[in-house]
Amino acid sequence: MTEQFDAIIIGAGVIGSAVGLELARKGYKTLNVDKLPAAGYGSTSGSCAIIRTYYSTVDGSALAYEGYFYWKNWKEFLGAPDDETLAYFHETGTMVTKCEANGFMVRAKEIADEIGVPYEEWSNDDIRQKMPHYDLRCFYPAKRPEDEGFGEPTGGEVGGAVFFPKGGYINDPQLSAQNLRKAAERAGGKFRFNAEITEIRKDANGAIAGITLKDGTRINAPIVVNVAGPHSAKVNAMAGALDDMNVKTRALKQEVVHVPMPVEGWYENGWVTSDSDIACYTRPEKGNFLLIGSEDPPCDEQVEVDPDDWDRNFSEQWRIQAMRVAQRMPSLGIPSQMKGVTELYDTADDWIPIYDKSQVPGFYMAIGSSGNQYKNAPVAGKMMAELIDADRNGQDHDKDPVQFKMDYTGRTLNLGFFSRRRTINKDSSFSVLG
């Protein structure tokens, strides 16, 4: 017997589960399908799960600021019972070094002022007082060890920092996806795991009719939402939804470093840092480690891979990221044994996500979101539900973009900003910073 649903969501990561939740709350009979064994088991589990409110664009920053309040009020948003174990928001704040690479944060502060994001200005003396283990000399541009001048200061010091108090990180990103799954199930949503899709079926008019699984199971639905993470491009191809996309997605290998914490007490009292002068970001990591990620400078190769066939081993990139942070933190020890995470990012050409419909009636996309959209997941779920509902009720989102009213900040976001048909956004950082 063929099953029937109103909407099938491909993927049960943090964003896929959020889409399932919000569609179920709107009364849709939903099914999240994932080839992995549990919610958040894929790229979500490898997320650095950083919550921050600064992006390179007004719309990106506004979305992130709205997302902050969802994490701040996580239990209430989920409607979770008192006995449910929830992901925890470590609200540490985030410190962004002012330097040449980020325009000394001038534009970021203008955006923060426009949307009402609070921040503090820190001088170099302030940083030294709070972070005596820091070397504030400039090393820009970021280099690799084989480059001439690696590790040598390039003159002067950074220009202080901007501290955003409304930020931090989530302790367990996979648990956050599982929290969203349970909330979706409370709203009537269903989930199916270890289920690989081999076909996205259409009716005689070319509209979505459902999916077929590898075991032959056919599931009918007039709506399919692609939230397949690093597999998003393959799913779009399966649906025949690529032809009118000006912006496309690809799977990139990413390596995140875990090294022993270089300073006592920083795990308990430290905050997230973003330092474009050395092109790395950090945050405390459980086990008294420091987590280090790359901000994707030109010297770091972007390794595009087949999401079904890639090397999960660490490469020399692991050590390079640690060595760049050691420029800023001379007391940092770099162990011989590599620890951390290798995972895939699903990235759009301009590193801004695609939250949109497609040329195929009934097929929608929440893709290109890896690296900088984890923090926006609960809002993205609500945005996609609004977009899908408007489209199903006759609004042509391509010609008349859905306007999304945000609950906490009260701002209205034009969802056309995330269109698949947009021109490449030159205001983007073209990196994990978004």
Side-chain angles (χ1 to χ4, degrees):
M1 179 177 177
T2 302
E3 296 178 81
Q4 180 72 45
F5 289 86
D6 298 325
I8 297 168
I9 300 94
I10 302 176
V14 68
I15 296 181
S17 296
V19 172
L21 166 61
E22 295 299 342
L23 282 172
R25 284 176 168 174
K26 280 187 172 293
Y28 289 79
K29 183 181 179 183
T30 65
L31 174 68
N32 282 70
V33 177
D34 201 298
K35 67 188 297 185
L36 297 173
Y41 203 83
S43 58
T44 291
S45 65
S47 173
C48 295
I50 290 172
I51 309 301
R52 58 180 168 91
T53 53
Y54 52 91
Y55 277 73
S56 54
T57 64
V58 173
D59 292 298
S61 298
L63 181 59
Y65 190 35
E66 176 76 5
Y68 156 82
F69 292 100
Y70 284 74
W71 296 108
K72 183 74 173 177
N73 300 286
W74 190 233
K75 183 177 186 295
E76 291 76 12
F77 163 66
L78 296 170
D82 291 339
D83 61 350
E84 184 175 339
T85 301
L86 301 179
Y88 179 74
F89 178 22
H90 291 275
E91 192 170 3
T92 63
T94 60
M95 185 194 83
V96 188
T97 304
K98 292 195 283 187
C99 59
E100 183 178 346
N102 59 25
F104 297 94
M105 293 294 286
V106 171
R107 178 58 180 152
K109 290 188 295 180
E110 291 173 349
I111 292 172
D113 289 337
E114 179 176 341
I115 64 179
V117 174
Y119 63 87
E120 304 168 11
E121 297 265 18
W122 286 4
S123 68
N124 282 359
D125 286 341
D126 292 330
I127 298 173
R128 288 190 181 95
Q129 184 178 9
K130 300 171 188 294
M131 307 172 74
H133 59 292
Y134 248 46
D135 181 341
L136 295 176
R137 290 178 294 177
C138 292
F139 296 92
Y140 179 79
K143 304 177 184 69
R144 300 173 70 85
E146 62 268 24
D147 296 336
E148 183 178 354
F150 178 82
E152 298 177 8
T154 51
E157 293 188 335
V158 299
V162 179
F163 183 77
F164 295 89
K166 295 187 182 302
Y169 62 96
I170 303 301
N171 70 324
D172 189 334
Q174 184 176 356
L175 178 59
S176 68
Q178 293 168 356
N179 293 157
L180 287 163
R181 174 200 172 179
K182 289 182 178 179
E185 290 174 335
R186 286 193 291 272
K190 304 294 183 183
F191 285 73
R192 183 169 299 179
F193 297 103
N194 298 309
E196 183 175 349
I197 295 170
T198 57
E199 182 186 14
I200 297 174
R201 291 181 285 104
K202 301 174 187 176
D203 63 19
N205 298 315
I208 290 295
I211 63 172
T212 303
L213 301 182
K214 189 174 182 177
D215 65 3
T217 300
R218 292 164 62 90
I219 306 171
N220 291 341
I223 297 169
V224 169
V225 191
N226 178 5
V227 204
H231 286 83
S232 69
K234 289 191 172 188
V235 171
N236 274 353
M238 188 184 298
L242 292 172
D243 291 346
D244 72 338
M245 296 182 67
N246 291 336
V247 181
K248 293 186 171 63
T249 60
R250 56 184 176 155
L252 297 180
K253 180 180 178 179
Q254 294 288 319
E255 301 183 37
V256 174
V257 178
H258 294 171
V259 294
M261 191 63 73
V263 59
E264 185 177 352
W266 191 250
Y267 174 69
E268 295 83 3
N269 302 306
W271 41 79
V272 175
T273 76
S274 171
D275 191 338
S276 296
D277 183 74
I278 58 170
C280 286
Y281 61 88
T282 73
R283 72 159 173 81
E285 172 62 18
K286 60 186 177 183
N288 202 34
F289 283 90
L290 182 72
L291 178 153
I292 302 170
S294 171
E295 292 187 351
D296 307 291
C299 65
D300 286 357
E301 179 187 5
Q302 293 190 353
V303 182
E304 185 173 353
V305 301
D306 180 342
D308 293 312
D309 183 18
W310 61 285
D311 183 0
R312 283 189 170 270
N313 294 311
F314 290 110
S315 71
E316 189 60 19
Q317 180 63 32
W318 185 98
R319 203 174 314 281
I320 289 166
Q321 288 168 208
M323 290 174 70
R324 283 213 295 264
V325 170
Q327 295 171 129
R328 189 68 72 222
M329 304 181 188
S331 60
L332 185 75
I334 303 177
S336 58
Q337 183 179 0
M338 296 179 178
K339 293 183 178 181
V341 177
T342 58
E343 198 40 90
L344 297 182
Y345 281 176
D346 178 41
T347 60
D349 294 331
D350 54 7
W351 287 74
I352 292 172
I354 300 168
Y355 298 130
D356 201 3
K357 60 183 285 187
S358 77
Q359 67 181 30
V360 179
F363 186 75
Y364 303 87
M365 300 175 283
I367 62 176
S369 59
S370 295
N372 61 41
Q373 290 295 297
Y374 170 89
K375 61 193 64 58
N376 295 332
V379 198
K382 187 165 286 191
M383 288 194 313
M384 287 301 300
E386 291 285 338
L387 189 158
I388 292 166
D389 203 47
D391 184 68
R392 303 305 290 179
N393 283 289
Q395 183 172 344
D396 187 341
H397 177 61
D398 286 335
K399 296 179 180 178
D400 178 22
V402 173
Q403 306 297 306
F404 176 69
K405 180 71 175 293
M406 293 190 278
D407 292 337
Y408 287 100
T409 64
R411 290 181 64 91
T412 297
L413 193 61
N414 181 343
L415 298 191
F417 176 79
F418 303 104
S419 171
R420 73 200 183 281
R421 292 179 169 179
R422 67 178 183 261
T423 56
I424 298 296
N425 193 319
K426 295 181 179 179
D427 291 331
S428 173
S429 68
F430 291 89
S431 74
V432 69
L433 296 177

